[in-house]
Amino acid sequence: MSYAKPSRRSWAEPWKIKMVEPIRMTTLAERAKFIFEAGYNTFLLRSEDVYIDLLTDSGTNAMSDRQWAGMMLGDEAYAGSKNFYNLWEAVTQHYGYKYLVPTHQGRAAEHILSQIMIHPGDVIPGNMYFTTTRLHQELAGGTFTDVIVDEAHDPANEAPFKGNVSIAKLKRVIDEVGARKIPYVCIAGPVNMAGGQPQSMENMRAVRDLCKRHDIPIVLDATRAIENAYFIQQREPGYKTKSVAEILKEYCSYTDTCTMSAKKDALVNIGGWLATNDQGLYEEARNLVVVYEGLHTYGGLAGRDMEAMARGIVESVADDHIRARVGQVEYLGNHLLDWGIPIVKPIGGHAVFLDARAFYPHIPQSQYPAQALTCDIYIDSGVRTMERGAVSAGRDAKTGEEHFPKLELVRVTLPRRVYTQAHMDVVAESVLEVYEHREQARGLRMTYEPKYLRFFQARFERAE
Ligand code: F0G
């Protein structure tokens, strides 16, 4: 047997597998029962009933041998843990902020930041909302206002930086409400709810220039900023020869403060932080963290968790790691594109987002087509995904009306370093199977709606 010389050279993950976790396959009949019992909400499934778990990339990362070794070096002192100082050093070295307050996860940092910076009646512009971020802004008495570019709302638009801030929209907000009512501008890159779309460095600089003129600080949601840095390296003129680590540091340098869910980029299962260059904010945050999380040198974490994070940060900025991470998402997305399945373009950094409006055009948004699609994929193959559409968008804090966002998406989210290319093939084939039977799909009716972040615990039944 002879092989033709390959016309391209493939890349592979820069790691090999040392430990495995068995997963169990279920039958179609079992899965139909499980999802019914879970109220047609994939958040309410038991993980042991899931075959390939693509609900989220949050806290689902596989740690390296070096991180696990670091877990054994946990300094579990109540105060002044060595691991806290290691974490602080890693954050300062790679993200560039001067001061660090550890928290148990991202939303805890958002809570502390919002309580300190937002006053009732304030307005917080941002490049699209994120669920927990917006809720903490609202609970502090603020109102979120979206200043993302229009392209972000169009799943078919292939602009390279659909996470950009519209400078015109941001100017308008500043003119209308006045800089004094804007405690900060909240920037995320890539933008989770827009389909993992990045922000360019040029745009970040323009935001910084505008904010500087009005003396408005910038808070970065740095949760997946390393993926953003990778997209800048790949897509933005002038960055090809820079390392992701260098790009990350430049990107952060245009901001004053960051909140971080380390459960994503930083390759751990739990952890987060608030980091800032503002000494006054740091002192207040260091004081408040004691109330909600724990002493300022552990913030709700064990010493070993902070050590794993410190080591995870170093691994996460390596070019070969991030290329393989985003490359796996692209591999899955390109499969689906080749088969004509409607997904958000360009392919995102942490997930492939299925366009449920185009997938199920016969299901009205009031019957939650994206939620229905998550259920149909689970029933087909045991693959668990997440709704990112009307259910996630929730209700207007003032009027109580449901938000019906333009983007009605299913997020097929890839944990870092967990699944193989063969798993990706199984996922792609399952989505294709559901797509081929799309005419038979039915929508859902909500039967139970929690007050906050309803998507986590809402229950549904099949619509008539
Ligand atoms: N910011 C962004 C952009 C996020 O994606 C998340 C979490 C948070 C903040 C909150 O961080 O979960 O550590 O409290 N996103 C998860 C997800 C839940 O599945 O996208 P957390």
Side-chain angles (χ1 to χ4, degrees):
M1 204 167 149
S2 71
Y3 292 96
K5 189 169 185 288
S7 58
R8 58 164 221 164
R9 302 300 298 264
S10 297
W11 55 265
E13 290 79 1
W15 39 261
K16 57 185 177 174
I17 296 165
K18 180 146 35 190
M19 189 189 282
V20 296
E21 175 183 341
I23 46 179
R24 187 171 67 95
M25 191 55 182
T26 49
T27 66
L28 196 75
E30 283 172 329
R31 292 191 296 274
K33 177 171 156 281
F34 294 145
I35 196 73
F36 170 77
E37 287 170 355
Y40 292 97
N41 185 345
T42 52
F43 278 103
L44 301 178
L45 287 166
R46 285 172 182 244
S47 126
E48 61 180 359
D49 299 332
V50 171
Y51 178 44
I52 299 174
D53 202 348
L54 307 184
L55 183 72
T56 176
D57 62 331
S58 182
T60 52
N61 301 306
M63 295 206 295
S64 68
D65 51 359
R66 285 153 186 82
Q67 286 176 288
W68 279 107
M71 296 285 276
M72 295 305 292
L73 301 175
D75 171 5
E76 307 306 342
Y78 189 88
S81 163
K82 185 172 83 194
N83 313 116
F84 163 72
Y85 292 101
N86 292 347
L87 175 63
W88 189 348
E89 198 180 308
V91 171
T92 300
Q93 188 183 340
H94 292 290
Y95 289 82
Y97 302 99
K98 263 195 226 148
Y99 306 108
L100 176 82
V101 176
T103 59
H104 81 280
Q105 59 182 79
R107 70 197 71 181
E110 292 167 355
H111 173 215
I112 291 168
L113 175 88
S114 302
Q115 290 299 321
I116 296 170
M117 293 194 72
I118 299 174
H119 298 98
D122 282 354
V123 171
I124 305 93
N127 53 347
M128 202 172 269
Y129 81 101
F130 183 71
T131 53
T132 58
T133 318
R134 183 178 67 189
L135 181 60
H136 281 298
Q137 292 165 355
E138 288 171 354
L139 290 173
T143 305
F144 165 81
T145 183
D146 192 2
V147 293
I148 202 166
V149 291
D150 288 340
E151 299 94 280
H153 298 283
D154 175 5
N157 186 309
E158 296 194 44
F161 290 106
K162 284 162 71 176
N164 278 354
V165 170
S166 158
I167 299 298
K169 285 186 199 176
L170 181 56
K171 269 193 187 130
R172 208 173 316 137
V173 175
I174 297 171
D175 287 346
E176 272 165 22
V177 307
R180 289 203 9 239
K181 281 258 170 254
I182 301 176
Y184 59 91
V185 172
C186 185
I187 301 291
V191 181
N192 194 353
M193 303 304 279
Q197 302 298 320
Q199 182 198 20
S200 70
M201 195 74 88
E202 186 188 15
N203 184 252
M204 181 60 117
R205 254 185 250 118
V207 173
R208 197 270 316 251
D209 292 347
L210 179 60
C211 286
K212 218 174 188 169
R213 260 183 277 140
H214 295 275
D215 209 14
I216 302 171
I218 301 176
V219 175
L220 174 69
D221 180 338
T223 296
R224 298 182 185 83
I226 298 168
E227 293 171 5
N228 201 80
Y230 176 72
F231 283 124
I232 289 173
Q233 185 191 56
Q234 297 300 306
R235 297 180 187 171
E236 190 162 348
Y239 287 94
K240 276 266 167 319
T241 57
K242 294 224 161 86
S243 69
V244 164
E246 286 171 300
I247 298 170
L248 176 73
K249 211 153 173 188
E250 182 187 340
Y251 186 65
C252 293
S253 75
Y254 301 130
T255 71
D256 302 280
T257 296
C258 87
T259 57
M260 175 73 183
S261 171
K263 301 169 72 174
K264 283 79 163 177
D265 264 357
L267 296 167
V268 286
N269 304 120
I270 193 73
W273 68 73
L274 193 161
T276 183
N277 294 323
D278 176 340
Q279 194 182 354
L281 172 64
Y282 166 62
E283 274 165 20
E284 279 189 68
R286 194 172 65 160
N287 196 221
L288 211 53
V289 77
V290 182
V291 180
Y292 294 110
E293 295 280 288
L295 197 70
H296 63 280
T297 59
Y298 75 84
L301 295 161
R304 55 179 172 270
D305 298 326
M306 293 189 284
E307 188 60 34
M309 240 196 295
R311 292 173 181 223
I313 290 168
V314 176
E315 293 177 14
S316 70
V317 297
D319 284 75
D320 59 353
H321 157 71
I322 195 68
R323 182 185 57 190
R325 189 281 183 281
V326 178
Q328 190 177 44
V329 179
E330 281 170 350
Y331 175 84
L332 175 63
N334 281 325
H335 252 48
L336 299 179
L337 282 177
D338 286 347
W339 294 335
I341 293 170
I343 66 170
V344 175
K345 289 188 274 185
I347 297 164
H350 64 306
V352 174
F353 289 75
L354 309 176
D355 179 0
R357 281 170 185 271
F359 208 103
Y360 286 163
H362 59 292
I363 301 179
Q365 206 175 6
S366 58
Q367 291 186 2
Y368 313 118
Q371 186 77 22
L373 183 51
T374 63
C375 297
D376 297 341
I377 293 169
Y378 172 73
I379 293 170
D380 178 70
S381 60
V383 171
R384 171 155 69 171
T385 58
M386 183 194 288
E387 193 264 8
R388 294 274 84 155
V391 181
S392 295
R395 291 178 184 275
D396 186 285
K398 290 202 182 87
T399 66
E401 292 290 312
E402 274 192 291
H403 291 296
F404 285 113
K406 286 208 183 106
L407 296 178
E408 177 72 21
L409 309 176
V410 167
R411 191 181 71 175
V412 186
T413 334
L414 302 197
R416 294 167 190 77
R417 308 192 293 204
V418 172
Y419 291 112
T420 66
Q421 195 157 312
H423 289 112
M424 295 304 106
D425 292 342
V426 168
V427 173
E429 288 159 21
S430 175
V431 174
L432 179 63
E433 180 75 18
V434 174
Y435 190 59
E436 284 177 342
H437 295 93
R438 60 193 178 277
E439 282 90 12
Q440 291 146 38
R442 283 156 61 199
L444 297 168
R445 201 176 70 78
M446 201 182 291
T447 57
Y448 166 68
E449 179 176 356
K451 188 165 167 208
Y452 298 117
L453 304 175
R454 64 183 189 173
F455 54 95
F456 283 128
Q457 288 149 349
R459 299 183 72 86
F460 303 83
E461 61 184 23
R462 287 287 186 195
E464 286 312 309

